[in-house]
Amino acid sequence: MKKFLVLWGVLLCCLPIFSQGKNDKTSPEIHEDRSVTFRLKAPKARRVQVWGDFIKPVTIETGRGKFETTVPVNMVEKEDGVWEYTTGPLDSELYRYLFYVDGIGMLDMQNTYVMRDGRKMLNYFIIPGGIGDVFLASDVPHGTVAKVWYDSPALNMKRRLTIYTPPGYEESRRKYPVLYLLHGMSGDENSWDELGRLKYIMDNLIAAGKIVPMIVVMSNGNSPYRSAAGESADGMMVPTNVISKEGDFEPSFNDIVRYVDTHFRTQKSKSRRAIAGLSMGGFHSALISMNYPDLFGYVGLFSPGTPVEVSDIPVYCNISQKLSEQFRKGVELYYMAIGSKDFLYQKNVDFRHRLDSLGCPYVYRESGGGHTWTNWRNYLVDFLPRLFK
Amino acid sequence: MKKFLVLWGVLLCCLPIFSQGKNDKTSPEIHEDRSVTFRLKAPKARRVQVWGDFIKPVTIETGRGKFETTVPVNMVEKEDGVWEYTTGPLDSELYRYLFYVDGIGMLDMQNTYVMRDGRKMLNYFIIPGGIGDVFLASDVPHGTVAKVWYDSPALNMKRRLTIYTPPGYEESRRKYPVLYLLHGMSGDENSWDELGRLKYIMDNLIAAGKIVPMIVVMSNGNSPYRSAAGESADGMMVPTNVISKEGDFEPSFNDIVRYVDTHFRTQKSKSRRAIAGLSMGGFHSALISMNYPDLFGYVGLFSPGTPVEVSDIPVYCNISQKLSEQFRKGVELYYMAIGSKDFLYQKNVDFRHRLDSLGCPYVYRESGGGHTWTNWRNYLVDFLPRLFK
């Protein structure tokens, strides 16, 4: 057996040699006190910085108003050209980050964990000991994640879904409730699974007995496209700033529900279906649930784009009338959440006033922070235990 | 509706600002003559290089012998601090690459397509017009890819599989043959799907009528681990150089076949099962198929590690006797492929001599190149049409 192992040693020597040599150190290194050290060996660099979610945001003022943003912090050059930065103790969370070397944004090549957010790639790490534990794979039963293709006669194409089925689905004969979970702009059917840590959240909360086992369907809300970039004949260009053509995604959602109800063991009633989404996906969730008021008993709007009346587009008109009808027919839960620094905050205030004036009851949660995945993951963890009880 | 679109414009301004400003250009840019230009804006850099599969390898000599390797080439600084390199016309293929800025390896942040190979991340692009077309998503029916968990009593844990089911599987009631496809060292159950472009190869070859629709099961051959790093309670550390404990993965393979045969509509006979793998996965495929000669009618060894007699480990002993018995019981196809520059080349010559001396017939394909994913994808495309005919 030794002979065999020696061979593999030789193999490793033949692989392309990367810059990270024997003097490099771990990055990121999570310390016992939950502080984190980043390291990059760049002996010829004049300035090395790190940007990340752990940096306190600053408020900047532009012609369009005040916004929160986060600016990179300087790393310090130590021995052997290794640049370092150590944070203070961090709250348990998932944090994204990126290096800048003399102004060039680059990933930490010591950390193979990367998230794609639209066209951007970012490294990430998770601090355990709190909400972060919900985002980590644990020693609990795991659900299945499948990438399937459904037929959409409404959009005249085959399109892709990501579907989570809970632990035990394959072995049981029981039927499950379904949560339809929608992404935001520049996202796709992969976003909740990758950026949203969906499968870990589901596995962990189901194992803890905090939520009902359910199927989660993650759709692609970019109606001109079949799937995430590179995964269909639409090609490899990552579209930015995709918004559905005016009002064609919402009616096509019926194709998704039909596919799921005929291909999975679902409980096929309004009281066993939920729809929720972030940003553009919240906009879609509000509109789909009000235009098809017999479909969804539970609605979750996370930092949503709010519906605006457009008289010549059927799904965008008569919004107040449709909301009243939706609530008259019965809503188990209408949940809204937004961060106090979100650029959509005032629009959400306005939409809640409209719900109030129509006498439509909702659950409202306001967090700190802005239009971020940190907030959306947290809203989901807050929303899920309220479903199908 | 306009009002709504303006809001989203504001949103995009709030996202973290990356170094790629308005002067940056597309990278990589694939030209009509199949040459490719790489670009990186790095005005303060003193040397910028690109490494990639498109660079002609050079032979280096070490204490352990001669090996092929590929060294980065210099990019040239153009206006505005943008460094460029343009290849000659390239053959249709999938190519990986990486930049080096003053010696620091970094990804091309303009290209969001990244492959993880063990601990390394690499960008990639595909040149169409030949074999590359097989690796691209096309306008053909797509199969489903699922990440499932099976119980392995032999290894005493739940472990993960990636499973491809062909287009139409969900709608039909028919049963399918199964290919079990195994990764190499530093790989995992994601490798064939991600680095190997498995789903695209299957969709395209099935649509072209070149192969029989089949299920493909991608297992994890690192017996101490449950799954790819970060996706189970094994934690986020990416193990390098994992090799199965001596002889425990091979017997545990029966748990995988049992799971697949009880959870998918499979044709449950030897003549409808194939096993193939690259490098360590070829080693596993050879040993599993000879130790359990009633399981697999088809065997594919791509640049395999070759079995070495270990007398005190049951699955590694009596190799010649087991091979003879395997072929006596009947093998539809025993396929071996390797590159002429592979560091395992001589070991493969020796193994073929052993098969010859035992009177065991096999199909042999020798390519150029070495121990590379380029070869393994190509071997798979050559191997698949030979199955289940």
Side-chain angles (χ1 to χ4, degrees), chain B residues 177-180 257 261 266-275 294-299 387-388:
Chain B
V178 185
L179 165 63
Y180 293 82
V257 176
D261 275 348
T266 60
Q267 294 173 340
K268 298 175 182 58
S269 67
K270 175 176 168 177
S271 66
R272 308 302 282 171
R273 279 196 209 101
I275 188 167
D294 298 323
L295 275 185
F296 299 101
Y298 298 81
V299 180
L387 301 181
F388 312 127

Side-chain angles (χ1 to χ4, degrees), chain B residues 349-366:
Chain B
V349 170
D350 298 344
F351 189 71
R352 283 186 287 114
H353 285 168
R354 188 203 285 245
L355 290 172
D356 292 336
S357 70
L358 295 167
C360 302
Y362 53 86
V363 169
Y364 176 63
R365 174 183 166 182
E366 187 167 311

Side-chain angles (χ1 to χ4, degrees), chain A residues 44 46 112 119 171 263, chain B residues 44 46 112 119 171 263:
Chain A
K44 293 181 183 173
R46 276 155 284 187
T112 53
R119 293 200 63 213
E171 284 73 30
H263 288 74
Chain B
K44 294 180 183 171
R46 277 155 282 188
T112 53
R119 293 200 64 215
E171 284 73 28
H263 288 72

